[in-house]
Amino acid sequence: MSEVVLENLTKKFGSFVAIDNISLRIEPHEFFVLLGPSGSGKSTLLRLIAGLEQPTSGLIYIDGKVVNSLPPKERDIAMVFQNYALYPHFTVYDNIALPLKVRGQSKSQIDAKVRDVASMLHIEDLLQKKPGQLSGGQQQRVALARALVRDPKLFLLDEPLSNLDAKLRVEARAFLKELQERLGVTTIYVTHDQSEAMSMATRIAVLNKGKVMQIADPFSIYRRPANMFTAGFIGSPSMNFIEGALKKDGEWSFVAGGLRVELPGLSFSSERRAIMGFRPEHIRIADEGIEATVSLVEPMGSIIYLHLNLGGFEVIAQHAGERKIKEGDKVKVRLDPESLLFYDAESGDLVS
Amino acid sequence: MNRFNLLLLVVLLIATAIALFPIYWMVITSLKVSSEIFSYPPVFIPLKITLNNYYAQGTYYGALSQTAVGSIPWVINSFIASIGASAIGTILIGAPAAYGLVRYIRNIWLSRLILFMMMIPESAFMLPYFLMISKAGWINTWWGLIAVYLSLTAPMSTWLLMGFFNDLPKSVEEAAQIDGLSTFNIFARISMPMAAPGIAVAFMINFMNIWNEMLYALVLTYSPFPSGAQTAPLFLTGFIVIEKSFAWGGLAAAGTFVLIPSLIVGLVAEKYLVKGWTLGAVKG
């Protein structure tokens, strides 16, 4: 069970910087998720660790050993690709057996391992079929089986669920997480889907434009995003942002246009231009508070999203639906000072 | 069926008719009695059918000797030269060259050069090839023919297969790399089988080109199997003039006979064309 360390890793494609001086450490047994929008460099980072790409500079350690010059097969890793990348002319059995055959294991050894991993993934009945005869979910399991059969040091997954339909994806998510916990193999998982990241990860690294924006556990990433990018990227609907200024007038307050939010009990190092962020669930309809006009009502089933005009700013509030609210209604809302986040207007970093 | 589909169907029928008519004409001519072959207006459906043309004799260097059925020694040579040049040119040269160009070298000028080579007319190489092959002592041999035919089949396969290899999902090769296959094994065991439909197409086009090739065979060979390597198209020329007249019936019969092996190869190759291996490799 292995750890991975990246040290000042940079990858350029021509003049395009895909990975910009990333250093991080992935602990043994960890389910580590690389999360970011397309073009953030998350897949490139995974391919660098796999050895499918060579870094422009920096070092990659697996278990304390620099692996930069090792080809993929000598890094003792397994990888599942977004499109599964099964060998279409081999049976499922031969697909799974290939990595063992290449390593010269005996026929009986191979047979035992293939059947073992097939039963673990519930694909025993498919062993004699060709990939073209399988459904997407079955192909995905075969790809997992091929990766797991070798007992790799490191398990790399590149958006393995994005080609499954929504229902299957939720099932596969739980299955993958349970499987990883049982096997305890260090896993690096690439996705652009925050719900996958939140539900499976031990820790998440949020990437943007080749840089690490934040590394933390899912709870902290959601509750205290370290910068505007992470704050806006994580959560659906997105966090609400209002640009204004932090002012001290005895007590601290946040002022933006006609909007003034008192911040009792909070203190900051200095007055500054700042962006206030709060999630839709942290703005509550109340009897007392700031006046707002409802511009749109979006029922989602269990909850309702209210689009509010709050002192000239458009924000979204999550409403449990205990009170009937129509478009055009005037309501009063409260912001819980504890849940408010402030970002520096210039750097975009969290102001604490 | 809407109007556009109907139009497509009509165009398709016309194209099929244009493609098949010469073959139809050759086959019925081979079965006609000579009065119908020469009658005007032409006879599209023969009233009398005869196999006599298949026993008509063609000239071979002035001597009346061969019938259509007697083409077998020439057909054997054609078969060996076509299969040999197509197999070596496609599998041993074209496929590795195309794979290398697509995956490793990626030089647009190198691939264009291959295309330019194919544009030069065969007759420009006739004399140099004759000199080279005679210096090598390969005149009138299979080796001589195959060596020269490779100059036609190898560039054709390379050019054609580049597209096929380029379309293969790269992730399958990367999966094989991670699974531990060597570069050569990835090519031979993963990429080649996945490109099988392309290889079948290239093989078939090459086979047909060589099967019908006459110019180089005329220059490089002079006698049929077993003494030499003369091929079927040259056998057919023996029917054109017999005793100062055209032997259309015999020529049509011999042409029909010579068509059969290439039809069989076409049917075998078709099996690989229809069922593409890439089915189910990747999703999305």
Side-chain angles (χ1 to χ4, degrees), chain B residues 244-275:
Chain B
K244 294 177 183 161
S245 73
F246 290 91
W248 293 118
L251 183 60
T256 305
F257 203 80
V258 165
L259 182 71
I260 294 167
S262 86
L263 274 183
I264 293 170
V265 169
L267 286 175
V268 172
E270 196 203 11
K271 203 182 86 181
Y272 291 93
L273 300 184
V274 176
K275 183 170 84 176

PDB file of all heavy atoms in Angstrom, chain B residues 244-275:
ATOM      1  N   LYS B 244      -5.803 -13.919 -87.717  1.00  0.00           N
ATOM      2  CA  LYS B 244      -6.176 -12.609 -88.258  1.00  0.00           C
ATOM      3  C   LYS B 244      -7.605 -12.159 -87.937  1.00  0.00           C
ATOM      4  O   LYS B 244      -8.151 -11.275 -88.576  1.00  0.00           O
ATOM      5  CB  LYS B 244      -5.934 -12.560 -89.766  1.00  0.00           C
ATOM      6  CG  LYS B 244      -4.455 -12.649 -90.084  1.00  0.00           C
ATOM      7  CD  LYS B 244      -4.207 -12.687 -91.549  1.00  0.00           C
ATOM      8  CE  LYS B 244      -2.707 -12.856 -91.784  1.00  0.00           C
ATOM      9  NZ  LYS B 244      -2.408 -13.342 -93.129  1.00  0.00           N
ATOM     10  N   SER B 245      -8.264 -12.776 -86.944  1.00  0.00           N
ATOM     11  CA  SER B 245      -9.558 -12.238 -86.525  1.00  0.00           C
ATOM     12  C   SER B 245      -9.630 -12.248 -84.998  1.00  0.00           C
ATOM     13  O   SER B 245      -8.865 -12.964 -84.343  1.00  0.00           O
ATOM     14  CB  SER B 245     -10.706 -13.063 -87.110  1.00  0.00           C
ATOM     15  OG  SER B 245     -10.775 -14.295 -86.437  1.00  0.00           O
ATOM     16  N   PHE B 246     -10.560 -11.462 -84.442  1.00  0.00           N
ATOM     17  CA  PHE B 246     -10.699 -11.411 -82.987  1.00  0.00           C
ATOM     18  C   PHE B 246     -11.497 -12.618 -82.490  1.00  0.00           C
ATOM     19  O   PHE B 246     -12.563 -12.896 -83.013  1.00  0.00           O
ATOM     20  CB  PHE B 246     -11.416 -10.129 -82.561  1.00  0.00           C
ATOM     21  CG  PHE B 246     -10.574  -8.908 -82.772  1.00  0.00           C
ATOM     22  CD1 PHE B 246     -10.639  -8.205 -83.964  1.00  0.00           C
ATOM     23  CD2 PHE B 246      -9.697  -8.497 -81.779  1.00  0.00           C
ATOM     24  CE1 PHE B 246      -9.847  -7.086 -84.153  1.00  0.00           C
ATOM     25  CE2 PHE B 246      -8.904  -7.371 -81.969  1.00  0.00           C
ATOM     26  CZ  PHE B 246      -8.968  -6.671 -83.161  1.00  0.00           C
ATOM     27  N   ALA B 247     -10.975 -13.302 -81.438  1.00  0.00           N
ATOM     28  CA  ALA B 247     -11.683 -14.457 -80.886  1.00  0.00           C
ATOM     29  C   ALA B 247     -12.451 -14.010 -79.652  1.00  0.00           C
ATOM     30  O   ALA B 247     -12.110 -14.347 -78.527  1.00  0.00           O
ATOM     31  CB  ALA B 247     -10.687 -15.562 -80.533  1.00  0.00           C
ATOM     32  N   TRP B 248     -13.515 -13.213 -79.892  1.00  0.00           N
ATOM     33  CA  TRP B 248     -14.243 -12.630 -78.764  1.00  0.00           C
ATOM     34  C   TRP B 248     -14.820 -13.675 -77.817  1.00  0.00           C
ATOM     35  O   TRP B 248     -14.782 -13.524 -76.604  1.00  0.00           O
ATOM     36  CB  TRP B 248     -15.366 -11.716 -79.257  1.00  0.00           C
ATOM     37  CG  TRP B 248     -14.865 -10.487 -79.956  1.00  0.00           C
ATOM     38  CD1 TRP B 248     -15.103 -10.141 -81.249  1.00  0.00           C
ATOM     39  CD2 TRP B 248     -14.043  -9.477 -79.396  1.00  0.00           C
ATOM     40  NE1 TRP B 248     -14.474  -8.965 -81.563  1.00  0.00           N
ATOM     41  CE2 TRP B 248     -13.807  -8.527 -80.425  1.00  0.00           C
ATOM     42  CE3 TRP B 248     -13.454  -9.269 -78.156  1.00  0.00           C
ATOM     43  CZ2 TRP B 248     -13.030  -7.395 -80.246  1.00  0.00           C
ATOM     44  CZ3 TRP B 248     -12.688  -8.146 -77.968  1.00  0.00           C
ATOM     45  CH2 TRP B 248     -12.476  -7.206 -79.010  1.00  0.00           C
ATOM     46  N   GLY B 249     -15.373 -14.736 -78.376  1.00  0.00           N
ATOM     47  CA  GLY B 249     -15.980 -15.785 -77.550  1.00  0.00           C
ATOM     48  C   GLY B 249     -14.963 -16.428 -76.630  1.00  0.00           C
ATOM     49  O   GLY B 249     -15.178 -16.555 -75.421  1.00  0.00           O
ATOM     50  N   GLY B 250     -13.814 -16.775 -77.195  1.00  0.00           N
ATOM     51  CA  GLY B 250     -12.757 -17.393 -76.388  1.00  0.00           C
ATOM     52  C   GLY B 250     -12.217 -16.432 -75.343  1.00  0.00           C
ATOM     53  O   GLY B 250     -11.994 -16.804 -74.186  1.00  0.00           O
ATOM     54  N   LEU B 251     -12.047 -15.171 -75.743  1.00  0.00           N
ATOM     55  CA  LEU B 251     -11.542 -14.168 -74.806  1.00  0.00           C
ATOM     56  C   LEU B 251     -12.504 -13.980 -73.624  1.00  0.00           C
ATOM     57  O   LEU B 251     -12.093 -13.927 -72.461  1.00  0.00           O
ATOM     58  CB  LEU B 251     -11.339 -12.837 -75.536  1.00  0.00           C
ATOM     59  CG  LEU B 251     -10.747 -11.686 -74.713  1.00  0.00           C
ATOM     60  CD1 LEU B 251      -9.372 -12.044 -74.182  1.00  0.00           C
ATOM     61  CD2 LEU B 251     -10.673 -10.425 -75.558  1.00  0.00           C
ATOM     62  N   ALA B 252     -13.802 -13.926 -73.954  1.00  0.00           N
ATOM     63  CA  ALA B 252     -14.806 -13.762 -72.894  1.00  0.00           C
ATOM     64  C   ALA B 252     -14.804 -14.974 -71.968  1.00  0.00           C
ATOM     65  O   ALA B 252     -14.898 -14.844 -70.747  1.00  0.00           O
ATOM     66  CB  ALA B 252     -16.186 -13.559 -73.501  1.00  0.00           C
ATOM     67  N   ALA B 253     -14.671 -16.146 -72.540  1.00  0.00           N
ATOM     68  CA  ALA B 253     -14.650 -17.363 -71.727  1.00  0.00           C
ATOM     69  C   ALA B 253     -13.426 -17.372 -70.814  1.00  0.00           C
ATOM     70  O   ALA B 253     -13.529 -17.645 -69.613  1.00  0.00           O
ATOM     71  CB  ALA B 253     -14.654 -18.594 -72.630  1.00  0.00           C
ATOM     72  N   ALA B 254     -12.268 -17.024 -71.380  1.00  0.00           N
ATOM     73  CA  ALA B 254     -11.049 -17.004 -70.570  1.00  0.00           C
ATOM     74  C   ALA B 254     -11.137 -15.927 -69.497  1.00  0.00           C
ATOM     75  O   ALA B 254     -10.735 -16.127 -68.345  1.00  0.00           O
ATOM     76  CB  ALA B 254      -9.838 -16.764 -71.470  1.00  0.00           C
ATOM     77  N   GLY B 255     -11.700 -14.770 -69.873  1.00  0.00           N
ATOM     78  CA  GLY B 255     -11.859 -13.680 -68.903  1.00  0.00           C
ATOM     79  C   GLY B 255     -12.749 -14.096 -67.745  1.00  0.00           C
ATOM     80  O   GLY B 255     -12.457 -13.817 -66.577  1.00  0.00           O
ATOM     81  N   THR B 256     -13.841 -14.778 -68.050  1.00  0.00           N
ATOM     82  CA  THR B 256     -14.756 -15.267 -67.017  1.00  0.00           C
ATOM     83  C   THR B 256     -14.034 -16.233 -66.087  1.00  0.00           C
ATOM     84  O   THR B 256     -14.146 -16.164 -64.861  1.00  0.00           O
ATOM     85  CB  THR B 256     -15.964 -15.969 -67.659  1.00  0.00           C
ATOM     86  OG1 THR B 256     -16.576 -15.078 -68.579  1.00  0.00           O
ATOM     87  CG2 THR B 256     -16.971 -16.405 -66.609  1.00  0.00           C
ATOM     88  N   PHE B 257     -13.261 -17.090 -66.701  1.00  0.00           N
ATOM     89  CA  PHE B 257     -12.531 -18.096 -65.933  1.00  0.00           C
ATOM     90  C   PHE B 257     -11.532 -17.448 -64.970  1.00  0.00           C
ATOM     91  O   PHE B 257     -11.407 -17.833 -63.808  1.00  0.00           O
ATOM     92  CB  PHE B 257     -11.799 -19.013 -66.929  1.00  0.00           C
ATOM     93  CG  PHE B 257     -11.472 -20.347 -66.359  1.00  0.00           C
ATOM     94  CD1 PHE B 257     -12.435 -21.340 -66.286  1.00  0.00           C
ATOM     95  CD2 PHE B 257     -10.193 -20.614 -65.885  1.00  0.00           C
ATOM     96  CE1 PHE B 257     -12.136 -22.573 -65.743  1.00  0.00           C
ATOM     97  CE2 PHE B 257      -9.890 -21.839 -65.344  1.00  0.00           C
ATOM     98  CZ  PHE B 257     -10.858 -22.835 -65.272  1.00  0.00           C
ATOM     99  N   VAL B 258     -10.861 -16.419 -65.493  1.00  0.00           N
ATOM    100  CA  VAL B 258      -9.813 -15.747 -64.708  1.00  0.00           C
ATOM    101  C   VAL B 258     -10.411 -14.873 -63.599  1.00  0.00           C
ATOM    102  O   VAL B 258      -9.766 -14.571 -62.601  1.00  0.00           O
ATOM    103  CB  VAL B 258      -8.921 -14.923 -65.678  1.00  0.00           C
ATOM    104  CG1 VAL B 258      -8.054 -13.928 -64.940  1.00  0.00           C
ATOM    105  CG2 VAL B 258      -8.060 -15.853 -66.509  1.00  0.00           C
ATOM    106  N   LEU B 259     -11.680 -14.507 -63.789  1.00  0.00           N
ATOM    107  CA  LEU B 259     -12.358 -13.667 -62.795  1.00  0.00           C
ATOM    108  C   LEU B 259     -12.638 -14.424 -61.491  1.00  0.00           C
ATOM    109  O   LEU B 259     -12.638 -13.837 -60.410  1.00  0.00           O
ATOM    110  CB  LEU B 259     -13.681 -13.172 -63.394  1.00  0.00           C
ATOM    111  CG  LEU B 259     -14.548 -12.240 -62.564  1.00  0.00           C
ATOM    112  CD1 LEU B 259     -13.884 -10.878 -62.474  1.00  0.00           C
ATOM    113  CD2 LEU B 259     -15.931 -12.104 -63.194  1.00  0.00           C
ATOM    114  N   ILE B 260     -12.854 -15.749 -61.631  1.00  0.00           N
ATOM    115  CA  ILE B 260     -13.335 -16.537 -60.486  1.00  0.00           C
ATOM    116  C   ILE B 260     -12.418 -16.450 -59.252  1.00  0.00           C
ATOM    117  O   ILE B 260     -12.910 -16.152 -58.156  1.00  0.00           O
ATOM    118  CB  ILE B 260     -13.588 -18.011 -60.907  1.00  0.00           C
ATOM    119  CG1 ILE B 260     -14.755 -18.024 -61.919  1.00  0.00           C
ATOM    120  CG2 ILE B 260     -13.936 -18.881 -59.703  1.00  0.00           C
ATOM    121  CD1 ILE B 260     -14.908 -19.331 -62.653  1.00  0.00           C
ATOM    122  N   PRO B 261     -11.091 -16.658 -59.379  1.00  0.00           N
ATOM    123  CA  PRO B 261     -10.265 -16.601 -58.157  1.00  0.00           C
ATOM    124  C   PRO B 261     -10.350 -15.256 -57.447  1.00  0.00           C
ATOM    125  O   PRO B 261     -10.389 -15.205 -56.211  1.00  0.00           O
ATOM    126  CB  PRO B 261      -8.845 -16.843 -58.680  1.00  0.00           C
ATOM    127  CG  PRO B 261      -9.021 -17.519 -59.981  1.00  0.00           C
ATOM    128  CD  PRO B 261     -10.297 -17.006 -60.565  1.00  0.00           C
ATOM    129  N   SER B 262     -10.398 -14.165 -58.210  1.00  0.00           N
ATOM    130  CA  SER B 262     -10.422 -12.870 -57.526  1.00  0.00           C
ATOM    131  C   SER B 262     -11.768 -12.633 -56.845  1.00  0.00           C
ATOM    132  O   SER B 262     -11.849 -11.949 -55.833  1.00  0.00           O
ATOM    133  CB  SER B 262     -10.001 -11.736 -58.460  1.00  0.00           C
ATOM    134  OG  SER B 262     -11.055 -11.232 -59.194  1.00  0.00           O
ATOM    135  N   LEU B 263     -12.839 -13.235 -57.395  1.00  0.00           N
ATOM    136  CA  LEU B 263     -14.137 -13.175 -56.704  1.00  0.00           C
ATOM    137  C   LEU B 263     -14.074 -13.902 -55.366  1.00  0.00           C
ATOM    138  O   LEU B 263     -14.598 -13.422 -54.359  1.00  0.00           O
ATOM    139  CB  LEU B 263     -15.225 -13.828 -57.559  1.00  0.00           C
ATOM    140  CG  LEU B 263     -15.922 -12.962 -58.589  1.00  0.00           C
ATOM    141  CD1 LEU B 263     -17.019 -13.767 -59.281  1.00  0.00           C
ATOM    142  CD2 LEU B 263     -16.527 -11.738 -57.919  1.00  0.00           C
ATOM    143  N   ILE B 264     -13.420 -15.060 -55.354  1.00  0.00           N
ATOM    144  CA  ILE B 264     -13.327 -15.850 -54.114  1.00  0.00           C
ATOM    145  C   ILE B 264     -12.557 -15.057 -53.050  1.00  0.00           C
ATOM    146  O   ILE B 264     -12.992 -14.954 -51.901  1.00  0.00           O
ATOM    147  CB  ILE B 264     -12.647 -17.215 -54.390  1.00  0.00           C
ATOM    148  CG1 ILE B 264     -13.562 -18.062 -55.280  1.00  0.00           C
ATOM    149  CG2 ILE B 264     -12.344 -17.945 -53.081  1.00  0.00           C
ATOM    150  CD1 ILE B 264     -12.926 -19.319 -55.819  1.00  0.00           C
ATOM    151  N   VAL B 265     -11.435 -14.462 -53.459  1.00  0.00           N
ATOM    152  CA  VAL B 265     -10.646 -13.659 -52.501  1.00  0.00           C
ATOM    153  C   VAL B 265     -11.488 -12.505 -51.962  1.00  0.00           C
ATOM    154  O   VAL B 265     -11.483 -12.203 -50.766  1.00  0.00           O
ATOM    155  CB  VAL B 265      -9.349 -13.137 -53.165  1.00  0.00           C
ATOM    156  CG1 VAL B 265      -8.669 -12.097 -52.277  1.00  0.00           C
ATOM    157  CG2 VAL B 265      -8.404 -14.292 -53.428  1.00  0.00           C
ATOM    158  N   GLY B 266     -12.268 -11.889 -52.862  1.00  0.00           N
ATOM    159  CA  GLY B 266     -13.138 -10.786 -52.437  1.00  0.00           C
ATOM    160  C   GLY B 266     -14.146 -11.222 -51.392  1.00  0.00           C
ATOM    161  O   GLY B 266     -14.365 -10.537 -50.392  1.00  0.00           O
ATOM    162  N   LEU B 267     -14.729 -12.391 -51.581  1.00  0.00           N
ATOM    163  CA  LEU B 267     -15.741 -12.883 -50.631  1.00  0.00           C
ATOM    164  C   LEU B 267     -15.121 -13.205 -49.273  1.00  0.00           C
ATOM    165  O   LEU B 267     -15.706 -12.922 -48.235  1.00  0.00           O
ATOM    166  CB  LEU B 267     -16.429 -14.135 -51.197  1.00  0.00           C
ATOM    167  CG  LEU B 267     -17.412 -13.858 -52.331  1.00  0.00           C
ATOM    168  CD1 LEU B 267     -17.943 -15.170 -52.919  1.00  0.00           C
ATOM    169  CD2 LEU B 267     -18.570 -13.002 -51.842  1.00  0.00           C
ATOM    170  N   VAL B 268     -13.910 -13.793 -49.295  1.00  0.00           N
ATOM    171  CA  VAL B 268     -13.239 -14.117 -48.033  1.00  0.00           C
ATOM    172  C   VAL B 268     -12.904 -12.831 -47.275  1.00  0.00           C
ATOM    173  O   VAL B 268     -13.133 -12.716 -46.073  1.00  0.00           O
ATOM    174  CB  VAL B 268     -11.957 -14.950 -48.288  1.00  0.00           C
ATOM    175  CG1 VAL B 268     -11.159 -15.120 -47.004  1.00  0.00           C
ATOM    176  CG2 VAL B 268     -12.328 -16.313 -48.863  1.00  0.00           C
ATOM    177  N   ALA B 269     -12.381 -11.842 -47.988  1.00  0.00           N
ATOM    178  CA  ALA B 269     -11.986 -10.588 -47.339  1.00  0.00           C
ATOM    179  C   ALA B 269     -13.204  -9.844 -46.796  1.00  0.00           C
ATOM    180  O   ALA B 269     -13.127  -9.177 -45.773  1.00  0.00           O
ATOM    181  CB  ALA B 269     -11.222  -9.695 -48.314  1.00  0.00           C
ATOM    182  N   GLU B 270     -14.328 -10.002 -47.468  1.00  0.00           N
ATOM    183  CA  GLU B 270     -15.541  -9.289 -47.067  1.00  0.00           C
ATOM    184  C   GLU B 270     -15.952  -9.626 -45.636  1.00  0.00           C
ATOM    185  O   GLU B 270     -16.470  -8.792 -44.901  1.00  0.00           O
ATOM    186  CB  GLU B 270     -16.677  -9.641 -48.033  1.00  0.00           C
ATOM    187  CG  GLU B 270     -17.850  -8.676 -47.930  1.00  0.00           C
ATOM    188  CD  GLU B 270     -19.133  -9.294 -48.429  1.00  0.00           C
ATOM    189  OE1 GLU B 270     -19.168 -10.521 -48.661  1.00  0.00           O
ATOM    190  OE2 GLU B 270     -20.098  -8.541 -48.567  1.00  0.00           O
ATOM    191  N   LYS B 271     -15.701 -10.889 -45.243  1.00  0.00           N
ATOM    192  CA  LYS B 271     -16.048 -11.332 -43.898  1.00  0.00           C
ATOM    193  C   LYS B 271     -15.426 -10.407 -42.846  1.00  0.00           C
ATOM    194  O   LYS B 271     -16.041 -10.085 -41.842  1.00  0.00           O
ATOM    195  CB  LYS B 271     -15.511 -12.761 -43.719  1.00  0.00           C
ATOM    196  CG  LYS B 271     -16.234 -13.552 -42.651  1.00  0.00           C
ATOM    197  CD  LYS B 271     -15.639 -14.923 -42.499  1.00  0.00           C
ATOM    198  CE  LYS B 271     -14.475 -14.886 -41.534  1.00  0.00           C
ATOM    199  NZ  LYS B 271     -13.833 -16.191 -41.346  1.00  0.00           N
ATOM    200  N   TYR B 272     -14.177  -9.986 -43.105  1.00  0.00           N
ATOM    201  CA  TYR B 272     -13.481  -9.120 -42.151  1.00  0.00           C
ATOM    202  C   TYR B 272     -13.939  -7.675 -42.264  1.00  0.00           C
ATOM    203  O   TYR B 272     -13.802  -6.897 -41.343  1.00  0.00           O
ATOM    204  CB  TYR B 272     -11.970  -9.195 -42.375  1.00  0.00           C
ATOM    205  CG  TYR B 272     -11.420 -10.523 -41.993  1.00  0.00           C
ATOM    206  CD1 TYR B 272     -11.294 -11.532 -42.931  1.00  0.00           C
ATOM    207  CD2 TYR B 272     -11.056 -10.781 -40.672  1.00  0.00           C
ATOM    208  CE1 TYR B 272     -10.807 -12.773 -42.573  1.00  0.00           C
ATOM    209  CE2 TYR B 272     -10.580 -12.008 -40.302  1.00  0.00           C
ATOM    210  CZ  TYR B 272     -10.450 -13.012 -41.261  1.00  0.00           C
ATOM    211  OH  TYR B 272      -9.994 -14.217 -40.884  1.00  0.00           O
ATOM    212  N   LEU B 273     -14.447  -7.318 -43.448  1.00  0.00           N
ATOM    213  CA  LEU B 273     -14.858  -5.928 -43.644  1.00  0.00           C
ATOM    214  C   LEU B 273     -16.125  -5.638 -42.862  1.00  0.00           C
ATOM    215  O   LEU B 273     -16.270  -4.611 -42.223  1.00  0.00           O
ATOM    216  CB  LEU B 273     -15.140  -5.656 -45.123  1.00  0.00           C
ATOM    217  CG  LEU B 273     -13.974  -5.866 -46.062  1.00  0.00           C
ATOM    218  CD1 LEU B 273     -14.365  -5.471 -47.465  1.00  0.00           C
ATOM    219  CD2 LEU B 273     -12.812  -5.025 -45.594  1.00  0.00           C
ATOM    220  N   VAL B 274     -17.063  -6.566 -42.922  1.00  0.00           N
ATOM    221  CA  VAL B 274     -18.365  -6.343 -42.310  1.00  0.00           C
ATOM    222  C   VAL B 274     -18.247  -6.305 -40.795  1.00  0.00           C
ATOM    223  O   VAL B 274     -18.801  -5.443 -40.136  1.00  0.00           O
ATOM    224  CB  VAL B 274     -19.348  -7.451 -42.748  1.00  0.00           C
ATOM    225  CG1 VAL B 274     -20.677  -7.289 -42.034  1.00  0.00           C
ATOM    226  CG2 VAL B 274     -19.534  -7.412 -44.256  1.00  0.00           C
ATOM    227  N   LYS B 275     -17.472  -7.230 -40.256  1.00  0.00           N
ATOM    228  CA  LYS B 275     -17.400  -7.360 -38.800  1.00  0.00           C
ATOM    229  C   LYS B 275     -16.152  -6.665 -38.284  1.00  0.00           C
ATOM    230  O   LYS B 275     -15.093  -7.251 -38.214  1.00  0.00           O
ATOM    231  CB  LYS B 275     -17.383  -8.854 -38.447  1.00  0.00           C
ATOM    232  CG  LYS B 275     -17.389  -9.146 -36.974  1.00  0.00           C
ATOM    233  CD  LYS B 275     -17.619 -10.618 -36.715  1.00  0.00           C
ATOM    234  CE  LYS B 275     -16.336 -11.414 -36.805  1.00  0.00           C
ATOM    235  NZ  LYS B 275     -16.483 -12.829 -36.480  1.00  0.00           N
TER     236      LYS B 275
END
